[in-house]
Structures are given as structure tokens and as C-alpha cells.
Amino acid sequence: AVTIPSEIDGKPVVSIGEYAFLSCTGYDETASSSYSLIINIPETVTSIKESAFFLSRIENITIPASVTSIGQNAFNSGYLKNIVIENPDCAIYSEDGYTFSNGSAVNIYGFADSTAAAYAETYSKIFHEIEEINEDYLYRELEDGTMEIVLFLQKSENIEIPSELDGKPVTSIADMAFY
């Protein structure tokens, strides 16, 4: 995993620059092969510039609530499967619908009436409404009052499926939640 630091030389990291992670992949020298890259973005970051992760091998990413803007083609790679946008008012710049992957198969997770929902509708992307986020999971309450884990966020090294969330039993794990 790549963890972007929250500060460098005592100054906060507030932006991820254009092409900062161009064609970045995980690479296992012992196996001589590439693998999916995991990126952890700190809460100090407020903007992700145009093409910041262009052609990078990221499959899943969570954009923290601190991010207020995402530039054109920021995650255009062909590998992206799931993106979680925690800020409902995050500006998403796009002229062609390729800010999040160059295909329509990407799953966009966001709040109802958010900019993520509007982007997904405009560019015919798959949108999943989220109700709650904790450190490791997106989850929602089902009609019977129980909880369903919708997506594992890969923020922790260990996977532990809780028996309860918000004091209600976890009874379901959504399709592809750990994809």
C-alpha cells in the first residue's frame, strides 16, 4: 500500500498534483509481476488534480471527506472498480465521463443527492447510495432493521466482520463487497 503522508517537513499535504502517480503499479520483484495498487489519502488533502492517477493500477479507492475537488481524468485507468466519495459536495470535473475509469463498469459510492450521484447519472456510471461509513466498511440499514456491509474500504490490514454496527446486527454482506 502507498500512504500519502499528511505532512512533509512540517507542512500539510493538501493536494495531489497532475500526473503525480502516472502509470503507477504495485510490483512484486520476487514474483516479477504487477498487482493492484492500494492508495491511502490523508484527511489533509483537499484537491486531487487532473490526471493525478492516470493509467495507475488502482482498483479501489476512498476519497476522504476533506477532498473538495477531483480533476478531469484523475482516475482514468481502466483498472478502477470501486470509488468511494465521502464528501457529498466534492466538485468532480469531467468533460467526457472518464474522470473515474475509461469504461462504465466502475462502481461509484456516495451519498444521495451528492455530486457523485449527479456524475454517475450524467455519465451512465453505476451508483450505490451509502448511508454510513466507518473506518473499514460502507454499510446500510435494511428494511428489517438489520445492517448490511456494502463495501470493504481496505483501510485496515486485517479483515474483521463485525457482528453489530450501530448496535444493530449485521445479517448481510452485499454482492462484491470484498471485490
Side-chain angles (χ1 to χ4, degrees):
V2 174
T3 299
I4 297 169
S6 59
E7 63 178 44
I8 297 174
D9 294 332
K11 296 181 180 161
V13 174
V14 296
S15 181
I16 300 172
E18 292 182 9
Y19 300 98
F21 290 87
L22 174 66
S23 299
C24 193
T25 65
Y27 186 76
D28 182 349
E29 290 182 17
T30 60
S32 296
S33 63
S34 295
Y35 56 90
S36 177
L37 187 64
I38 297 171
I39 301 282
N40 297 312
I41 300 172
E43 291 285 337
T44 56
V45 171
T46 59
S47 69
I48 299 172
K49 301 294 185 186
E50 180 177 332
S51 302
F53 296 93
F54 189 72
L55 299 178
S56 292
R57 198 170 182 142
I58 299 170
E59 291 183 3
N60 303 295
I61 187 107
T62 298
I63 309 301
S66 60
V67 174
T68 59
S69 67
I70 300 171
Q72 171 89 3
N73 291 317
F75 295 93
N76 184 349
S77 71
Y79 292 99
L80 189 65
K81 294 177 183 161
N82 299 295
I83 186 164
V84 178
I85 302 173
E86 294 182 350
N87 180 349
D89 299 315
C90 180
I92 302 167
Y93 297 98
S94 185
E95 294 174 7
D96 54 12
Y98 292 158
T99 297
F100 308 124
S101 196
N102 59 7
S104 62
V106 65
N107 292 290
I108 299 172
Y109 293 83
F111 293 99
D113 301 320
S114 65
T115 54
Y119 175 91
E121 183 177 345
T122 299
Y123 295 108
S124 302
K125 304 292 182 182
I126 303 163
F127 181 76
H128 303 273
E129 182 180 329
I130 56 174
E131 296 173 10
E132 299 287 336
I133 302 172
N134 78 4
E135 185 173 315
D136 295 315
Y137 306 99
L138 297 181
Y139 57 97
R140 66 185 177 124
E141 187 172 347
L142 300 173
E143 290 179 13
D144 64 1
T146 63
M147 303 302 266
E148 176 180 55
I149 293 173
V150 178
L151 185 68
F152 177 61
L153 299 176
Q154 295 182 329
K155 291 184 180 180
S156 298
E157 299 264 333
N158 300 319
I159 298 173
E160 184 176 321
I161 299 172
S163 60
E164 289 186 344
L165 289 167
D166 292 341
K168 298 175 183 171
V170 173
T171 60
S172 178
I173 297 174
D175 292 346
M176 299 173 58
F178 290 85
Y179 186 59

